[in-house]
Amino acid sequence: MKRFFFTVLAAISLWLPVSAQATAGTPTDLLKERDTNIRSFLKANPLPLPAPKRSKIEEDLNSLFDYETIAISSLGAHKQKATPKQLQEYIRVFSQVTRNNSSSEDALKHFLQSQIRYEGEAKGPNGATVVKTVIIKNNEEITVDYFFENTKSGWRIVNYVLDDVDLIENYRSSFGKIISEKGFDELISKLKEKLKKKD
Amino acid sequence: MKSFSAKRLFLLAAGMGLFALLLWRAGPHDVLERLRGLGWSFALLLLMALAWNTVAALAWRILFDTRHPSIGFLTLWHTRLCGEAVNTLTPLLNLGGEPVKVLLIRDRLQGDQGAAYVLLDKTIFFLASLLFMASGLAVAFFVFSGHALVIGISALMLSSWIAGLLWLIVQQRKGRTVTAILNLAEKVRLRVSPQFRSRMEEMDRQIAVFWRDHPGRFLAALAIHFLGRAIRTWDVVLAASLLGMKVGISSAYVIAASVMLINAAFSFIPGALGAYEGSHGYFFSLLGLGLDAGISLAIIRRIRTLLFAGLSYLLLVFSPRSNGKAVAAVAACLAAISLGSASGVWAQEETPPQAAETAASSPPASEEAKKVVRLSLPEAIERALQISVELDAVRASTAVAESYVTQAQRARWIPKAELTNIFSANRESHYILDPSEDDDENINQDYIKTNAGKNFFERLSPFNHLQIDLVQPLYTFGKLDAALALARQGLEVSREKTRGKAEEITKRVSLLYWGLLVARDIDEMLADVRKNLDDAHAKIKDKLERETGEVTAIDLYEIESFRAKLAIKIQELIKGRSLVERTLALMLGLAPDETFEPAERRLAPPEYELKAIDDYRESALQNHPEMKQLRAGLLARQAQVDMARANLYPDLFLGARLEWTESPGHHPPPNEPEIDDPKRIFFGGPFIGLRWDLSLHRKSAELGTARAQLTELQALSKAADFGFTLRVTQAYLEVVRARDALEEVGKGLQSAKKWFRSATLNFGIGVEDTDGLIKAYKEYIELRGAHYQALFDYHQAVATLQQEAGLPLLNSQEAAAPAPSEANP
């Protein structure tokens, strides 16, 4: 059961990053290009992927995903409660969990079985560009709005909204509760536990 | 012996194969369900079939010489059961079993006597059946007095069949039935051997001898066959009572006869699709017992027919009375049928010409094999309205009402004309002129002689009286206007009834259509959920076995519990959807090999702008068919009052008459030529007349009654105004409730979706456990189901409000929604 939901989440994150080499064009172009590349790769390499190819696709999937920004934004005011060492460890574990999710076998299958409809771009807060998409699978539609920021490394996804659920806000409330009740180490501990349970 | 056993084995296999095919096409699951519902009482229906077959065998026995030693009642009873079993199991218009009968008795009779007596029995059986149908029609005239047109058409059809059968009997009496067929065969260049012709001529002769020498046996057999057919009445009563319905004897008689008649009329349809169940449904709906009840009864009777045929067939296979030749012939015949027409549909009730299969009783045959009929909602409604027997019945009443208007209009402007001619013999006052007598003084005594001395016949002479009257009303004090108004309001009532029935059918089809769309959406959703749960279950189980520590046994139990609840929902959905599909198929007149599919992809919320409640109340009072009928009824009552008042006064009319009377040989008295002689008149001319019924005390009372009835209807009308206001208010409030409920469920669904998405995100990062995720998923799924239900409820509420307000239902149709884009990025 949990793997199913996990794969849904992971599959969504598959659409987030773009190739490190793809620095030109609009965010929508980058998403489309990435989608095409991933599909081509998966069609040419049937699942399950051998370890080297899995590492490659994991790298491709996540290289433009700005996990550090997402991780720090997800802490909100609770960032102040962490020591620099705790913060560094938290960012490392958070990024790794997310990377694992995106490249799991279930996530890749889910990706292949779904379709994406691109519905244009809009201006977001703080100069961000919002790319609106709809993921369709089994007659169910899931709206996903990606928030891109143009950083020194190019366009990077710093947040997304899944069916009106803001990723950062969601994590912020969940992480905040854990930090307030049991401290920062408990949050890191939970993330590490999740990391151990990778496929 | 070995070959004989092999034949029987093959016969058993072929027959049971056909039986199994018919059972499969009737839907084994449905058959079992219904049999389970009836329990052992179903045996009573089998006994009923046994009863009429026994009576029919008795009628057959009557045809033979009672002293005939080799052909006893038991032999004929066995033969008939076997023959009718083959008739039912084979698609040969209820005639496939007749050769079997011949083969089973041929060894006991000389030459082709067996065939002759089978043909005779079948002829008399047909005649008894037709007479039974005719008697049923006569009873129907009283039971369904408002359906004179249907009864008239049926009577016409029946008359033609009876005439045809009587013609056949006449040919049989003349001894040229079979030989006529042989002559025809030779004309199309089929070769008939002289020996065979000679045998057939002998058979014709035997048949002719029977008709000539044994009218008593014919009448007795006819009476007993009629009795056998009449047992069907009790069969209907019994089957209805087993289903918990009460049907009176007269109604059952009409149903039994009418169903037989309709089956006969539709015997030309391959498989007689739908006629049997359709006719049951139609007559039950006329009796106010409901279409569904009639169809259920038809299905039960059909199952009985099938099982009875199966049992009788076993008798053919295993009974020592079945001779080897018959068994071999039937085996060969069934082999041909099994090979050639296994795809046919022919399970039929035993009727003279044959009966029907139906969409309702038939088969949930494999959907892949079925032809898909894809219709939009307006198309489905149009089709349902076109084939609706309920609507036809109401339309027929409208045709009658239209004829009354025509009558009233013609009475107003076209003079009434009447011609009377009497031709008779005259035996009174036969005067004879005798010119030899010329005595003026004694002319009265001598010149005129009466017939006093002649006998009765000598006094007779021809007599003719012709009279033509033309009457044109000039002034009737409003009688004709009132009659016309009465007829027109009657027509208006009839038209509104038709409109009301059409709206009712439209609503019924709409609800079924929307129900099907929703069922399809829910079906897809549940299938998806089931797949996810199965997947999750397998993975949790795997992790538990590997002891990863990620999940607990409680997670597994929770999934299993969720999955069990889901399975129940899916079962309910399948049952409901199947019922909806079958009902729609019946209303749309689909063939058993067709399946319906809505053209729309999914049910969208109605784009409905709710107006002020007073608008609907006003519309209901103005436009609802029942209110229009009531208004027309009030005007009709007013016309009756006017008519009753006018009846107090005389009618003035302009008339013309031509009268001519002649009696050849009769002469007036010569001394009184100017006296009017009633035996010799020629007169014509116009006149003005007055006709007045002076029973004024009675007329006055009738006027009082008409006024009281008008007052009564006015009071009812006020009550109806109040009632309609309540109904519209209720429907309006239901729309508001359903709309708000849809909105609230929609909000709840959004929240549940967010909850589920949030739980999914948290689960992915490791800060949500399995239990929390499952709870969120369950809530989301439940609210999706509730949303579909709320959507359907809103459509239903809108349709009900439109109907109560007398507004067209189709204006509220908006169900079409485009399929999600298949755009592939």
Side-chain angles (χ1 to χ4, degrees), chain A residues 1-5 9 35 94 97 101 106 115-118 136 138-142 160 163-165 167 170-171 174-175 178 191 194 197, chain B residues 524 528 532 536 539-540 543 550 559 601-602 750 753-754 756-758 760-767 773 777 780 784 820-823 825:
Chain A
M1 177 73 183
K2 73 176 191 176
R3 179 172 289 194
F4 165 71
F5 299 108
L9 171 65
D35 178 48
F94 179 92
V97 170
N101 285 348
D106 285 339
Q115 293 176 343
I116 308 172
R117 196 167 67 228
Y118 295 90
I136 306 158
N138 295 336
N139 292 322
E140 192 181 3
E141 297 188 351
I142 302 169
Y160 59 85
D163 271 345
D164 295 333
V165 175
L167 179 81
N170 180 63
Y171 284 163
S174 299
F175 293 175
I178 294 168
L191 293 175
K194 184 71 188 176
K197 293 173 185 172
Chain B
E524 282 174 7
D528 193 31
N532 291 339
K539 286 182 176 170
I540 289 177
K543 289 189 176 182
E550 292 173 68
I559 291 283
R601 175 65 194 83
R602 60 179 46 169
Q750 284 304 314
K753 193 193 254 187
K754 283 185 182 177
F756 173 53
R757 300 291 181 227
S758 180
T760 306
L761 290 169
N762 287 341
F763 182 81
I765 204 78
V767 295
L773 184 60
Y777 189 53
Y780 174 50
R784 275 181 76 184
S821 165
E822 296 298 326

Coordinates of all heavy atoms in Angstrom, one line a residue, chain A residues 1-5 9 35 94 97 101 106 115-118 136 138-142 160 163-165 167 170-171 174-175 178 191 194 197, chain B residues 524 528 532 536 539-540 543 550 559 601-602 750 753-754 756-758 760-767 773 777 780 784 820-823 825:
Chain A
M1 N 0.8 -1.2 0.0 CA 0.0 0.0 0.0 C 0.9 1.3 0.0 O 0.7 2.1 -0.8 CB -0.9 0.0 1.2 CG -1.8 1.2 1.4 SD -3.1 1.2 0.2 CE -3.8 2.7 0.6
K2 N 1.8 1.3 1.0 CA 2.5 2.5 1.1 C 3.4 2.7 -0.1 O 3.7 3.8 -0.6 CB 3.3 2.6 2.4 CG 4.5 1.6 2.4 CD 5.3 1.9 3.7 CE 6.6 1.2 3.6 NZ 7.4 1.5 4.8
R3 N 3.8 1.6 -0.7 CA 4.7 1.7 -1.9 C 3.9 2.4 -3.0 O 4.4 3.2 -3.8 CB 5.2 0.4 -2.4 CG 6.1 0.5 -3.6 CD 6.7 -0.8 -4.0 NE 7.7 -1.1 -3.0 CZ 8.7 -2.0 -3.2 NH1 8.7 -2.7 -4.3 NH2 9.6 -2.3 -2.3
F4 N 2.6 2.1 -3.1 CA 1.8 2.7 -4.1 C 1.8 4.2 -4.0 O 2.0 4.9 -5.0 CB 0.4 2.1 -4.1 CG -0.6 2.9 -4.9 CD1 -0.5 2.9 -6.3 CD2 -1.5 3.7 -4.3 CE1 -1.4 3.7 -7.0 CE2 -2.4 4.5 -5.0 CZ -2.3 4.5 -6.4
F5 N 1.5 4.6 -2.8 CA 1.5 6.1 -2.6 C 2.8 6.7 -2.8 O 3.0 7.8 -3.3 CB 0.9 6.4 -1.2 CG -0.5 5.8 -1.1 CD1 -0.8 4.8 -0.3 CD2 -1.5 6.4 -1.8 CE1 -2.0 4.3 -0.2 CE2 -2.8 5.9 -1.7 CZ -3.1 4.8 -1.0
L9 N 3.9 9.8 -5.4 CA 4.7 10.9 -5.0 C 6.0 11.0 -5.8 O 6.4 12.0 -6.4 CB 5.0 10.9 -3.5 CG 6.1 11.9 -3.0 CD1 5.5 13.3 -3.2 CD2 6.5 11.6 -1.6
D35 N 10.8 15.2 -20.0 CA 9.8 14.1 -20.1 C 10.1 13.2 -21.3 O 10.1 12.0 -21.2 CB 8.4 14.7 -20.3 CG 7.4 13.7 -20.4 OD1 7.4 12.7 -19.6 OD2 6.5 13.8 -21.3
F94 N 17.4 14.8 3.6 CA 16.1 15.1 2.9 C 16.3 14.9 1.4 O 15.5 14.4 0.7 CB 15.8 16.6 3.2 CG 14.6 17.1 2.5 CD1 13.3 17.0 3.1 CD2 14.7 17.7 1.3 CE1 12.2 17.5 2.5 CE2 13.5 18.2 0.6 CZ 12.3 18.1 1.2
V97 N 16.5 11.2 0.4 CA 15.2 10.5 0.5 C 14.4 10.9 -0.8 O 13.8 10.0 -1.5 CB 14.4 10.9 1.7 CG1 12.9 10.5 1.6 CG2 15.0 10.4 3.0
N101 N 13.1 8.5 -3.8 CA 11.7 8.4 -4.2 C 11.5 8.5 -5.7 O 10.8 7.8 -6.4 CB 10.8 9.5 -3.6 CG 10.6 9.2 -2.1 OD1 10.9 8.1 -1.6 ND2 10.1 10.2 -1.4
D106 N 8.8 1.6 -8.9 CA 7.4 1.9 -9.0 C 7.1 3.3 -9.5 O 6.2 3.5 -10.3 CB 6.7 1.8 -7.6 CG 6.6 0.3 -7.2 OD1 6.6 -0.5 -8.1 OD2 6.5 0.1 -6.0
Q115 N 0.1 10.3 -18.4 CA 0.3 11.3 -19.5 C 0.3 12.6 -18.8 O -0.3 12.8 -17.7 CB -0.8 11.2 -20.5 CG -0.9 9.9 -21.3 CD -2.1 9.8 -22.2 OE1 -3.0 10.6 -22.0 NE2 -2.0 8.9 -23.1
I116 N 1.0 13.6 -19.5 CA 1.0 14.9 -18.9 C 0.4 15.9 -19.9 O 0.7 15.8 -21.2 CB 2.5 15.4 -18.7 CG1 3.2 14.3 -17.8 CG2 2.5 16.7 -18.0 CD1 4.7 14.6 -17.7
R117 N -0.4 16.8 -19.4 CA -0.9 17.8 -20.2 C -0.3 19.1 -19.7 O -0.5 19.4 -18.5 CB -2.4 17.8 -20.1 CG -3.1 18.6 -21.2 CD -4.6 18.4 -21.3 NE -5.3 18.9 -20.1 CZ -6.2 18.2 -19.4 NH1 -6.5 16.9 -19.7 NH2 -6.8 18.7 -18.3
Y118 N 0.4 19.9 -20.6 CA 1.0 21.2 -20.2 C 0.0 22.3 -20.5 O -0.6 22.4 -21.6 CB 2.3 21.4 -21.0 CG 3.3 20.4 -20.7 CD1 3.4 19.2 -21.4 CD2 4.2 20.6 -19.6 CE1 4.4 18.3 -21.1 CE2 5.2 19.7 -19.3 CZ 5.3 18.5 -20.0 OH 6.2 17.6 -19.7
I136 N -2.4 12.6 -16.0 CA -3.6 11.8 -16.2 C -3.3 10.4 -16.1 O -2.4 9.9 -16.8 CB -4.3 12.1 -17.5 CG1 -4.5 13.6 -17.7 CG2 -5.6 11.3 -17.7 CD1 -4.6 14.0 -19.1
N138 N -5.6 6.6 -15.4 CA -6.8 5.9 -15.0 C -8.0 6.9 -14.9 O -8.7 6.8 -13.9 CB -6.7 5.1 -13.7 CG -5.7 4.0 -13.9 OD1 -5.4 3.5 -15.0 ND2 -5.1 3.6 -12.8
N139 N -8.1 7.8 -15.8 CA -9.2 8.8 -15.8 C -9.2 9.7 -14.6 O -10.1 10.5 -14.4 CB -10.6 8.1 -15.8 CG -10.8 7.4 -17.1 OD1 -10.4 7.9 -18.2 ND2 -11.4 6.2 -17.1
E140 N -8.1 9.6 -13.8 CA -8.0 10.6 -12.7 C -7.0 11.7 -13.1 O -6.0 11.4 -13.7 CB -7.6 9.9 -11.4 CG -7.7 10.8 -10.2 CD -7.3 10.1 -8.9 OE1 -6.8 9.0 -9.0 OE2 -7.4 10.7 -7.9
E141 N -7.4 12.9 -12.8 CA -6.5 14.0 -13.1 C -5.9 14.6 -11.9 O -6.6 14.9 -10.9 CB -7.2 15.1 -13.9 CG -7.8 14.5 -15.3 CD -8.4 15.6 -16.1 OE1 -8.5 16.8 -15.6 OE2 -8.7 15.3 -17.3
I142 N -4.6 14.8 -11.9 CA -3.9 15.5 -10.8 C -3.2 16.7 -11.3 O -2.4 16.6 -12.3 CB -2.8 14.5 -10.2 CG1 -3.5 13.2 -9.7 CG2 -2.1 15.2 -9.0 CD1 -2.5 12.1 -9.4
Y160 N 6.4 22.9 -5.5 CA 5.3 22.6 -6.4 C 4.0 22.4 -5.6 O 4.1 22.1 -4.4 CB 5.6 21.3 -7.3 CG 5.9 20.1 -6.6 CD1 4.8 19.2 -6.2 CD2 7.2 19.6 -6.4 CE1 5.1 18.0 -5.5 CE2 7.5 18.4 -5.7 CZ 6.4 17.6 -5.3 OH 6.7 16.4 -4.7
D163 N -2.5 19.3 -6.5 CA -3.9 19.4 -6.2 C -4.2 20.3 -5.0 O -4.8 19.9 -4.0 CB -4.5 18.0 -5.9 CG -4.9 17.2 -7.1 OD1 -5.1 17.9 -8.2 OD2 -5.1 16.0 -7.0
D164 N -3.7 21.5 -5.2 CA -3.9 22.6 -4.1 C -3.1 22.3 -2.8 O -3.3 23.0 -1.9 CB -5.4 22.8 -3.8 CG -6.2 23.3 -5.0 OD1 -5.6 24.0 -5.8 OD2 -7.4 23.0 -5.1
V165 N -2.3 21.3 -2.8 CA -1.5 21.1 -1.6 C -0.1 21.6 -1.9 O 0.6 21.0 -2.8 CB -1.5 19.6 -1.2 CG1 -0.5 19.4 0.0 CG2 -2.9 19.1 -0.9
L167 N 3.7 21.9 -1.4 CA 4.7 21.0 -0.9 C 5.4 21.6 0.3 O 5.5 21.0 1.4 CB 5.7 20.7 -2.0 CG 6.8 19.8 -1.6 CD1 6.4 18.3 -1.6 CD2 8.0 19.9 -2.5
N170 N 3.1 22.2 3.3 CA 2.8 20.9 3.9 C 3.9 20.4 4.7 O 3.7 20.0 5.9 CB 2.5 19.9 2.7 CG 2.1 18.5 3.2 OD1 1.1 18.4 3.9 ND2 2.9 17.5 3.0
Y171 N 5.1 20.4 4.2 CA 6.3 19.9 5.0 C 6.5 20.8 6.2 O 6.8 20.3 7.3 CB 7.5 19.9 4.1 CG 7.6 18.7 3.1 CD1 8.5 18.7 2.0 CD2 6.8 17.6 3.3 CE1 8.6 17.7 1.2 CE2 6.9 16.5 2.4 CZ 7.7 16.6 1.3 OH 7.8 15.5 0.5
S174 N 4.2 19.8 8.9 CA 4.4 18.5 9.5 C 5.8 18.5 10.2 O 5.9 17.9 11.4 CB 4.5 17.5 8.4 OG 3.3 17.4 7.7
F175 N 6.8 19.1 9.6 CA 8.1 19.1 10.3 C 8.1 20.0 11.6 O 8.7 19.6 12.6 CB 9.2 19.7 9.3 CG 9.5 18.9 8.1 CD1 10.4 19.3 7.1 CD2 8.9 17.6 8.0 CE1 10.6 18.6 6.0 CE2 9.2 16.8 6.8 CZ 10.0 17.3 5.9
I178 N 6.8 18.1 14.5 CA 7.8 17.1 15.0 C 8.8 17.8 15.8 O 9.2 17.5 16.9 CB 8.4 16.3 13.9 CG1 7.3 15.4 13.2 CG2 9.5 15.4 14.4 CD1 7.7 14.8 11.9
L191 N 13.7 10.9 9.0 CA 14.1 11.0 7.6 C 15.2 9.8 7.3 O 15.1 9.2 6.3 CB 14.8 12.3 7.2 CG 13.8 13.5 7.2 CD1 14.6 14.8 7.0 CD2 12.8 13.4 6.1
K194 N 13.5 6.6 7.0 CA 12.9 6.4 5.7 C 14.0 6.0 4.7 O 13.7 5.2 3.7 CB 12.2 7.7 5.3 CG 11.5 7.7 4.0 CD 10.3 6.8 4.1 CE 9.6 6.6 2.7 NZ 8.5 5.7 2.8
K197 N 14.7 2.5 4.6 CA 13.7 1.6 4.0 C 13.6 1.7 2.5 O 12.6 1.4 1.9 CB 12.3 2.0 4.6 CG 12.2 1.7 6.0 CD 10.9 2.3 6.6 CE 10.8 2.1 8.1 NZ 9.6 2.8 8.6
Chain B
E524 N -15.2 2.4 -12.7 CA -13.8 2.6 -13.1 C -13.0 3.0 -11.8 O -11.9 2.5 -11.6 CB -13.7 3.8 -14.1 CG -14.0 3.3 -15.5 CD -14.1 4.5 -16.5 OE1 -13.7 5.6 -16.1 OE2 -14.5 4.3 -17.6
D528 N -10.0 0.8 -10.1 CA -8.7 1.3 -9.8 C -8.3 1.2 -8.3 O -7.2 0.8 -8.0 CB -8.7 2.8 -10.2 CG -7.4 3.5 -10.3 OD1 -6.4 2.7 -10.6 OD2 -7.2 4.6 -9.9
N532 N -5.2 -0.9 -6.7 CA -4.2 -0.4 -5.7 C -4.2 -1.2 -4.4 O -3.1 -1.4 -3.8 CB -4.6 1.1 -5.4 CG -4.5 2.0 -6.6 OD1 -3.7 1.6 -7.5 ND2 -5.2 3.1 -6.6
A536 N -1.1 -3.0 -2.8 CA -0.6 -2.7 -1.5 C -0.6 -3.9 -0.6 O 0.3 -4.1 0.2 CB -1.6 -1.6 -0.9
K539 N 2.4 -6.1 -1.2 CA 3.6 -5.5 -0.8 C 3.7 -5.5 0.8 O 4.8 -5.8 1.3 CB 3.7 -4.1 -1.3 CG 4.1 -4.1 -2.8 CD 4.3 -2.8 -3.4 CE 4.7 -2.9 -4.8 NZ 4.7 -1.7 -5.6
I540 N 2.6 -5.2 1.4 CA 2.7 -5.2 2.9 C 3.0 -6.7 3.4 O 3.8 -6.9 4.3 CB 1.3 -4.7 3.5 CG1 1.2 -3.2 3.3 CG2 1.2 -5.1 5.0 CD1 -0.1 -2.6 3.7
K543 N 6.6 -7.4 2.9 CA 7.4 -6.7 3.9 C 7.3 -7.3 5.3 O 8.3 -7.4 6.0 CB 7.1 -5.2 3.9 CG 7.5 -4.5 2.7 CD 7.4 -3.0 2.8 CE 8.0 -2.4 1.5 NZ 8.0 -1.0 1.5
E550 N 8.8 -1.9 8.5 CA 8.1 -0.7 8.0 C 6.6 -0.8 8.2 O 5.9 0.2 8.3 CB 8.3 -0.6 6.4 CG 9.7 -0.3 6.0 CD 9.8 -0.4 4.5 OE1 9.2 0.5 3.8 OE2 10.5 -1.3 4.0
I559 N -6.0 -3.1 5.4 CA -6.2 -3.2 4.0 C -7.2 -4.3 3.6 O -8.1 -4.1 2.7 CB -4.8 -3.6 3.3 CG1 -3.9 -2.4 3.4 CG2 -5.0 -4.0 1.8 CD1 -4.1 -1.3 2.4
R601 N -19.4 10.8 -22.2 CA -18.3 10.1 -21.5 C -18.6 10.0 -20.0 O -18.4 9.0 -19.4 CB -17.0 11.0 -21.7 CG -15.8 10.6 -21.0 CD -15.4 9.2 -21.4 NE -14.4 8.6 -20.5 CZ -14.7 8.0 -19.4 NH1 -16.0 7.8 -19.1 NH2 -13.8 7.5 -18.6
R602 N -19.1 11.1 -19.4 CA -19.4 11.0 -18.0 C -20.5 12.1 -17.6 O -20.8 12.9 -18.5 CB -18.1 11.3 -17.2 CG -17.5 12.6 -17.4 CD -16.3 12.8 -16.5 NE -15.4 11.6 -16.6 CZ -14.2 11.5 -16.1 NH1 -13.7 12.6 -15.5 NH2 -13.5 10.5 -16.1
Q750 N -12.8 18.0 -2.0 CA -11.5 18.8 -2.2 C -10.7 18.6 -0.9 O -9.4 18.4 -1.0 CB -11.9 20.2 -2.4 CG -12.4 20.6 -3.8 CD -11.4 20.1 -4.9 OE1 -10.2 20.4 -4.8 NE2 -11.9 19.4 -5.9
K753 N -9.3 15.2 -0.7 CA -8.2 15.0 -1.7 C -6.9 15.7 -1.2 O -5.8 15.1 -1.3 CB -8.6 15.7 -3.0 CG -7.8 15.3 -4.2 CD -8.0 16.2 -5.4 CE -8.8 15.6 -6.5 NZ -8.9 16.4 -7.7
K754 N -7.0 16.9 -0.6 CA -5.9 17.5 -0.1 C -5.3 16.7 1.1 O -4.0 16.6 1.2 CB -6.3 18.9 0.5 CG -6.5 20.0 -0.6 CD -6.7 21.3 0.1 CE -7.0 22.4 -0.9 NZ -7.3 23.6 -0.2
F756 N -5.4 13.5 1.4 CA -4.8 12.4 0.8 C -3.4 12.7 0.2 O -2.4 12.1 0.4 CB -5.7 11.7 -0.2 CG -5.1 10.6 -1.0 CD1 -4.5 9.5 -0.3 CD2 -5.1 10.6 -2.4 CE1 -3.9 8.5 -1.1 CE2 -4.5 9.6 -3.1 CZ -3.9 8.5 -2.4
R757 N -3.4 13.9 -0.5 CA -2.2 14.3 -1.2 C -1.1 14.6 -0.1 O 0.0 14.3 -0.3 CB -2.4 15.5 -2.1 CG -3.4 15.4 -3.2 CD -2.9 14.4 -4.3 NE -3.9 14.3 -5.3 CZ -4.2 13.2 -5.9 NH1 -3.7 12.0 -5.4 NH2 -5.1 13.1 -6.8
S758 N -1.6 15.3 0.9 CA -0.7 15.7 2.0 C -0.1 14.5 2.7 O 1.1 14.4 2.9 CB -1.5 16.6 3.0 OG -0.6 17.0 4.0
T760 N 0.2 11.6 1.4 CA 1.1 10.9 0.4 C 2.5 11.6 0.4 O 3.5 10.9 0.4 CB 0.5 11.0 -1.0 OG1 -0.8 10.5 -1.0 CG2 1.3 10.2 -2.0
L761 N 2.5 12.9 0.4 CA 3.7 13.7 0.5 C 4.5 13.3 1.7 O 5.7 13.0 1.7 CB 3.5 15.2 0.4 CG 3.0 15.7 -1.0 CD1 2.6 17.1 -0.9 CD2 4.1 15.5 -2.1
N762 N 3.8 13.4 2.9 CA 4.4 13.1 4.2 C 4.9 11.7 4.3 O 6.0 11.4 4.8 CB 3.5 13.4 5.3 CG 3.2 14.9 5.5 OD1 4.1 15.7 5.0 ND2 2.2 15.3 6.1
F763 N 4.1 10.8 3.7 CA 4.5 9.4 3.7 C 5.8 9.2 2.9 O 6.7 8.4 3.3 CB 3.4 8.5 3.2 CG 3.6 7.0 3.2 CD1 3.5 6.3 4.3 CD2 4.1 6.4 2.0 CE1 3.7 5.0 4.4 CE2 4.4 5.1 2.1 CZ 4.2 4.3 3.2
G764 N 5.9 9.9 1.8 CA 7.0 9.8 0.9 C 8.3 10.2 1.6 O 9.4 9.7 1.4
I765 N 8.2 11.2 2.5 CA 9.4 11.7 3.2 C 9.6 11.0 4.5 O 10.6 11.3 5.2 CB 9.2 13.3 3.3 CG1 10.6 14.0 3.4 CG2 8.4 13.6 4.5 CD1 11.2 14.1 2.1
G766 N 8.6 10.2 4.9 CA 8.8 9.4 6.2 C 8.2 10.0 7.4 O 8.5 9.5 8.5
V767 N 7.4 11.0 7.3 CA 6.8 11.6 8.5 C 5.3 11.3 8.6 O 4.6 11.9 9.4 CB 7.0 13.1 8.5 CG1 8.5 13.5 8.6 CG2 6.4 13.8 7.3
L773 N -2.0 7.1 6.2 CA -2.2 7.2 4.7 C -3.5 6.4 4.3 O -4.3 6.9 3.5 CB -1.0 6.6 4.0 CG -1.0 6.6 2.5 CD1 -1.0 8.1 2.1 CD2 0.3 6.0 2.0
Y777 N -6.8 7.8 2.4 CA -7.3 7.2 1.2 C -8.7 6.8 1.2 O -9.5 7.1 0.3 CB -6.4 6.0 0.8 CG -6.6 5.5 -0.5 CD1 -6.5 6.3 -1.7 CD2 -6.8 4.1 -0.7 CE1 -6.7 5.8 -2.9 CE2 -7.0 3.6 -2.0 CZ -7.0 4.4 -3.1 OH -7.1 3.9 -4.3
Y780 N -11.0 9.7 1.1 CA -11.0 10.3 -0.3 C -11.9 9.4 -1.2 O -12.8 10.0 -1.9 CB -9.6 10.3 -0.8 CG -9.5 10.7 -2.2 CD1 -10.1 11.9 -2.7 CD2 -8.7 10.0 -3.1 CE1 -10.0 12.3 -4.0 CE2 -8.6 10.4 -4.4 CZ -9.2 11.5 -4.9 OH -9.1 11.9 -6.2
R784 N -15.5 10.4 -2.9 CA -15.7 10.4 -4.4 C -17.0 9.7 -4.7 O -17.7 10.1 -5.6 CB -14.5 9.7 -5.0 CG -13.3 10.6 -5.3 CD -12.2 9.8 -6.0 NE -12.4 9.6 -7.4 CZ -11.6 8.9 -8.2 NH1 -10.5 8.4 -7.7 NH2 -11.9 8.7 -9.4
P820 N -11.6 13.3 -21.2 CA -10.4 14.1 -20.9 C -9.5 14.0 -22.1 O -9.4 13.0 -22.8 CB -9.8 13.3 -19.7 CG -10.6 12.1 -19.5 CD -11.9 12.2 -20.3
S821 N -8.7 15.1 -22.2 CA -7.9 15.1 -23.4 C -6.8 14.0 -23.4 O -6.3 13.6 -22.3 CB -7.1 16.5 -23.4 OG -6.0 16.4 -24.3
E822 N -6.7 13.4 -24.5 CA -5.7 12.3 -24.6 C -4.3 12.9 -25.1 O -3.5 12.1 -25.5 CB -6.2 11.3 -25.6 CG -7.5 10.6 -25.2 CD -7.4 9.8 -23.9 OE1 -6.3 9.3 -23.7 OE2 -8.3 9.8 -23.2
A823 N -4.2 14.2 -24.9 CA -3.0 14.8 -25.4 C -1.7 14.2 -24.8 O -1.6 14.0 -23.6 CB -3.0 16.3 -25.0
P825 N 2.0 14.6 -24.2 CA 3.1 15.6 -24.2 C 4.3 15.0 -24.9 O 5.1 15.7 -25.3 CB 3.3 15.9 -22.8 CG 2.9 14.7 -22.0 CD 1.7 14.1 -22.8

